[in-house]
Each structure stands twice: as C-alpha cells, then as structure tokens.
Amino acid sequence: MKKRETYAIVGLAVLFGLAAVWGGFQLKERRVAEAQLVNKYNGAFYESLQRTKNVEALLSKGLASGSTDNMDNLFADLWYNANTAQSSLHQLPMSHQVVAQTSKFLTQVGDYAYAITKRDQGKKLTERDRQTMSELYKKSQDLNRELGGVQRQAAAGSFSWTEVRQGLNRNLSQGQLSGADDSFRRVDSQMQEVPVLIYDGPFSDHLERAKPRGVTGKNVTAEKARSNARDFIDFKGAEVSKVNNGRDADGRIPAYSFEFQTGDNTRDIITAHVTKKGGHMVFYTNPRSVSETRFSESKAKSLAQDFLESRGVKNMVPTYTIKSNNALTISFAYEQDDVIIYPDLIKVMVALDNGQILTYDALGFLMSHEERDLPQPKISIDEARKKLNPDLKVQSERMALIPTSGKHEVLTYEFKTEMRGDSFLVYINAQTGGEEQIFKLLETPNGTLVL
Amino acid sequence: MDMRKPQYRLAITVAVILVVSCAGYLAWSQDNVMVRDAYTSENIADASPESSSDNTDLLARVIHGEAGDEPYLGKVAVGAVMLNRVNSASFPNSLSGVIFEPYAFESVSNGLIWQRTPSTESVRAAGEALNGLDPTYGALFFWNPSKPVSPWIWSRQIITEIGQHVFAI
C-alpha cells in the first residue's frame, strides 16, 4: 500500500515537473512572439515619426524653393514620405477614431503635392497654392510637436504596444481608450482643423460632396418604385410570389429597397434599389448560381444590349467584359455625339446558362450622367496621332470623354494600339495634345484586364 | 487499504486530465501553427477556380470571414466597405492595407479568414464588389448591432441595414 502511494506521488511529481517544463517553453515562445510583434509596431511607429518629420521639412523647402525643377523633385519626395508615414501609422494597433484625422492629413498632403506636379509641370506655384502650402506646413509642425510628445512617452516606457493591444480588446465594448490611444487622440484632435483641400486628385475634399447628376424627375411613392422594379427586373418568366420592403438607403442617392421572391425559391432573393426621386433603378442583383456556360460571349453581349434598350436605357455601347463563374459582366458606357462618355457606366451581368440578366448596376451612371456641352476639340485626330510614341501601331481610334483622378472630365482621342505583342489604350487630350492616360490591356481567358 | 484506493484513483484521474489537457493544448497550438501556413496556392485555387486576380481571393476570404452567414447582398456590401476604405483618405490606401489594419476586422485578427474556404457566393460577391457594385453608397463602417461595439461607432451617419449588419459613413 505504501509503495502504491509513493508511486502515485512520484508519478504526479513527474507529471507536474513535465507540465512546468512545457509551460516554461511555452512562456519563452510567447515572449519571443510578443517581442517580434512589439518590434513590428515600433518599426512602424518610428518609421511614421521620421516620415512625418520629413514631410514638415519638405513643405518648408517647397516654400523656400525658387526653382520649378527642384520643386517637382521636392513634391515627388513629399508624396512618397507622406504616403509612407500614412501607411505606417495604419500598422499600429490603434482604434480608427484616434488616427483618422492624422491619416487624412497625411494622405491629402501627398495627394495634393502629386496633383500640383502633374498640373504644373515646369510652371510656378500660384499664390493660392503657396497660401495652402504654408497652412499645411503649420499643421505639419503641430503634428510633429504632438507626435514628439507620444515618442517621449514611449521612450519613457509609459505605455507599451502590447498594452495598447490588450487595452483595445478589453475596452472596445466600453468605448474607453488605453494610454497610447489617449495620447494619439490628443494628436488627432490637433488635426481637426485642416484646410479644405480642393485639387485634381483621388482624395480631394470635393469628391466626398459629389451630388448625383443623373437622378432626375419627381419624387415617387414606394408603390410606384416597386412596380418600376418589377417591370425592370429580368425574371425570365418566373412568377413573383412575394415582395418585401427592405430598409431604405439614405446615402448619396436616397433609394427604396425591395426583395423579390420567385415561386417557392426562398434562397435566391433578388434585391433591387430604386431612387426615391424619379424612380430610377440604381441596381438589382440576382444571387442565383450558374452551373454551366451555354451562351457565347457575343450572344450574351447582344442580350445585354437588347435588355438595356427594352428598359429605355438608350445610347449605351459595350466596352469591357469579364467572365467569372459562368457569368459575363459587360461595362456599358454612354455615347453622345460619337464620343464615348466613360464616367457614365452601367454594368450588366448575364448568366451564360440561359441568358438571364443577373445584375444591373447604374450607380456610376446616376452619379455622373447628364447631357454635356462637349467642347470643340482644338487639335485634329491626325495631329493627335502624331503625338503617339512612334513605336505604337494604331489599330482603332475614336473620341472619348475620360475622368481624371479627381473625377474632372477631359475630352480625348482614344487610340487602341499595339507594340511588340502588347496592347495599349492611349488617350491624347483633344485640347492640349498632351498624353492624358495610358492603359495596358491584358488578354486573359476570362476577359480583358485593364491595367 | 480502502482509504488509499480512492487516492490512487484520484492520482490517476489527475494524471489523465493533465495528459489530456497537455495533448489538447499541443493540438490546439499545432492548429495555430497551421493557420500561419494555410495560405498556399492550392487553397487559393480551391477558393476560386476561375479567378485570376489576387484581390478577388483576398477580398472573398474577408467577405466570407465577416459575412459568411449573411445574404448575398450583405456579402457584396461588406466587400464594398473594404473598397470604399481604400478610396478614403482616413484609411490605408491599398486593399491589403485596409484588410490587415490591426483590429479592423475580427475574422482577420483571429485568423478565421485563413481557416475557412470562401463559398462560391462569397467569391462572386467579391467579384461584384470589385466591379463597382456598392449597395452601401460609400459606407466606411459596418457592424452587427446585436454584438457589443464601441459607442463611438453609433455616432456615424447610418446609410442602411442589410441582413444583420448596419452600414454607415
């Protein structure tokens, strides 16, 4: 009996010993993993600090520079440093609300600098640009002063990134902020009053305020909107058995939402959004899965074209197509006076098993469409063709209105060209003769990718 | 002897519990190691046999992780939010930057996106979102109101509700 007891105790002791050793290894591994994580966070933190300091110095140099060539170099540097600072900032374990404004400032500084170099090649800055730049410079000084405070706290060990991380988990539901979050929030509140920046770039403030231009007509009732949707959707002969009202959308384009059930199919609910003003279809989508391809792409294209015409959507020409999961998505662009209007896009997805229109998406069209006063081109197509790189062989050409990165519209000549087996679309500005844009076309089995 | 027997049994029970929990923990930590290596080319191929774009695969994974049980339009909407963030100045300016921002999305933080293979529906939703379909009209946030969220999020302007999610700008 005594022996058994001893065995048991020794056995237990051995097991506890093993558990302790194993636990020790686990602890060590955890520390290594945590150190790696903290190193990554610190790397991003110091990167962001350094790049933000560079932004301040570059803005100041830009204000001091008298040479336009050097200004272009400084702005290219500014764009790079601001972008790196912004992307490093987002690698830190912070809540969105404490970095949002700082991030926006950094994005816009870089984007603005880039837009100016693009606009002004070889030209001097306007007085207004100088004014904006000196405001941005002041803001960058504020930012660096505040970030310096966070850096000192970090150096003094008053917070660690793992604490921030745990704090974020713990306090997320209560909405409280940890120590570092709190310091960063102070930084961010300094960045609230940044000058409004309007320029030709993807992050310019004017884009957030864009109003839909294509939503015309009088307000319609939900009943009218529902019957519009019912007439519009391609049910392919299936009986609509149930219509539910979804939650209205209260965004840039206020819209009613409807859910259509056909027959006893409760899985593939077709959702449609119809504008409250005018009763236009914004989009509808049918999630039915398509298991085989029986229609050719050209057949699908003409079906989509017929669908648009039968729904009263006129003057749309097919541009690009992409095939996936036995369905073909075709981008249609509006055509006015033989000019392709690329901002006015409608996408149509056709099921390749029976030709049903699965998705109709006119959000882009409704945001930008209007009958435009197209300017008279200042240069002819022959003059434009001479501006092309002589190595390019022109295959086709036409006029096109294209959006710039800030969604302004430029009248251009579009040349589809070929060089050493690669295809390119080149856009020559019809007023200035400058090369506005160039796309590489990549032919894949599923369609043409535009790079 | 009768007194000792239960002790003997106790010792064995404790030992068995220890061994089982050690094994369990080891298996679990093994799982975690696997998670890190799960993003192999075979998995991508499984996810979307026809997709040629890396973005579709990544987006489909996050859609599946965040909205796997949502209706189709709810999946498209979550994908659209990711893409709206790319185009917003206050968020990272690339899709991978948005998706891997620390603590932005729960299914990325806990590794779920690498454990589940996206359904065909999630893959199609990713494709449609990349094609520009946006049922949220530019929303930058979404959340499930029945789960605990930061009260801050409720200060955002709500655009719509799709499935279990609220979408806001």
Side-chain angles (χ1 to χ4, degrees), chain A residues 13 30 38 101 108 122 145 150 158 178 184 191 208 218 226-227 235 242 248-249 307 309 333 338 343 361 375 433:
Chain A
R30 201 197 105 129
V38 168
Q101 289 298 323
Q108 285 194 328
R145 200 178 42 245
V150 182
S158 61
S178 62
F184 266 92
M191 306 309 294
E208 282 181 14
K218 291 209 170 71
R226 191 191 299 121
S227 81
F235 291 107
K242 206 168 162 194
D248 291 2
F307 171 79
E309 267 156 36
D338 292 325
D361 174 18

Side-chain angles (χ1 to χ4, degrees), chain A residues 42-106:
Chain A
N42 271 324
F45 179 54
Y46 284 96
E47 178 83 27
S48 192
L49 283 177
Q50 186 57 52
R51 297 293 178 182
T52 313
K53 280 192 185 128
N54 294 353
V55 166
E56 180 185 332
L58 285 160
L59 279 166
S60 148
K61 287 185 201 175
L63 283 166
S65 165
S67 137
T68 47
D69 288 350
N70 194 26
M71 188 86 80
D72 282 353
N73 294 338
L74 289 171
F75 278 6
D77 266 359
L78 192 52
W79 176 78
Y80 177 70
N81 278 282
N83 261 296
T84 315
Q86 196 258 8
S87 101
S88 306
L89 186 68
H90 281 292
Q91 287 164 33
L92 298 175
M94 300 286 194
S95 339
H96 172 74
Q97 69 261 44
V98 303
V99 295
Q101 289 298 323
T102 311
S103 164
K104 186 177 174 199
F105 173 76
L106 290 168

